[in-house]
Amino acid sequence: LDALALTSSGFDVRSPGWPTARYALLRTMHQGLLRGGEPGTLPGEPFRPAHGVCWGDFTWHDIATGTLLTQRDATTGALHWVLIVRVRGIKDVMGKHKKVPITIASKHPANGASGRDVTCTYFAVLRLWEERGGLVPHDARGSAPFFVGPDGSTPVDTGVALGAITDAARALGLNASAFGSSACRRGGATDLRDKLGSAAGKQIIVQRGRWCATDIDEIYSRSSLGEHVTASVALSAGGGARSLEQVVPGWVQPTHFGR
């Protein structure tokens, strides 16, 4: 994903409109271990706010202070900007469970001199937010799709997500036919396992990827926001003890992430 931002790739990640939206989509799918239909909808189906990612599913500010949310990386101690986005697993077709909060931390420390690194997922999403925010009334943000396709209005579906993935693969000289709509999900999970190790990576992957208990394992422990920030920074790089319940109102982690 970083290589796509190189001029030599020929893959536009900076122009307004679809290039900005496409890159934010790819990076968010990798960070959140998203299946192709989870950012928006399935092919041929209408967008359902309870299932797809809406504007209202993003949290940028700390509810306690009203300031932009930050958290220290539990490993390095560095302070990072933090974004929370809520995602519902695609297997939860009946919408029985709450959307799962996914932590996206800035790639570089908040007090660093790196500026808005185009390869940072946090700022990739922020660029899209700033570009289109004025087009979406505040009272519509609870139901308006955040990720829209090339026409700027139609919610992305599995086919659009797959198209973004295969376009990226071709730009990197890879065999596009070998990639499916869950490529970013597989890639993100693989990267987390590589960065955190098998044991530590497993729990974060289960939670971050919204896997069912029958798919991987039962979950009983709570992960702190700091652990999720460390996971996010690890993904970007190719803490504190606050729990997600403390920063996401109404969220209580279930015993397992069922269908």
Side-chain angles (χ1 to χ4, degrees), residues 8-88:
S8 58
S9 75
F11 191 87
D12 189 0
V13 303
R14 294 173 174 81
S15 296
W18 178 234
T20 291
R22 178 177 59 180
Y23 195 53
L25 173 66
L26 288 170
R27 297 220 70 117
T28 302
M29 290 178 68
H30 174 256
Q31 278 270 340
L33 314 189
L34 268 62
R35 302 173 178 92
E38 289 177 341
T41 185
L42 296 173
E45 293 191 6
F47 179 78
R48 293 180 291 175
H51 289 78
V53 177
C54 303
W55 283 77
D57 289 323
F58 290 82
T59 298
W60 297 91
H61 294 84
D62 191 319
I63 60 171
T65 64
T67 59
L68 286 172
L69 185 61
T70 59
Q71 178 68 34
R72 293 195 180 279
D73 185 324
T75 300
T76 68
L79 190 69
H80 290 260
W81 303 112
V82 176
L83 161 66
I84 306 291
V85 57
R86 298 169 184 80
V87 178
R88 172 162 280 128

Side-chain angles (χ1 to χ4, degrees), residues 117-142:
D117 183 347
V118 70
T119 65
C120 171
T121 304
Y122 180 93
F123 285 114
V125 175
L126 180 59
R127 283 172 54 217
L128 182 57
W129 183 278
E130 292 175 336
E131 180 181 307
R132 301 200 68 249
L135 304 176
V136 183
H138 283 274
D139 59 1
R141 292 190 172 183

Side-chain angles (χ1 to χ4, degrees), residues 231-257:
S232 179
V233 173
L235 283 170
S236 294
R242 287 186 292 175
S243 68
L244 282 171
E245 285 90 340
Q246 290 177 280
V247 296
V248 183
W251 168 254
V252 177
Q253 184 174 304
T255 303
H256 59 80
F257 292 78

Side-chain angles (χ1 to χ4, degrees), residues 157-203:
D157 61 16
T158 309
V160 175
L162 176 59
I165 290 169
T166 54
D167 286 347
R170 279 189 288 269
L172 297 175
L174 303 173
N175 178 11
S177 66
F179 290 79
S181 61
S182 292
C184 291
R185 178 176 173 81
R186 293 172 181 268
T190 302
D191 288 344
L192 274 177
R193 189 183 184 94
D194 179 60
K195 295 289 186 178
L196 303 181
S198 179
K202 182 177 181 180
Q203 182 176 329

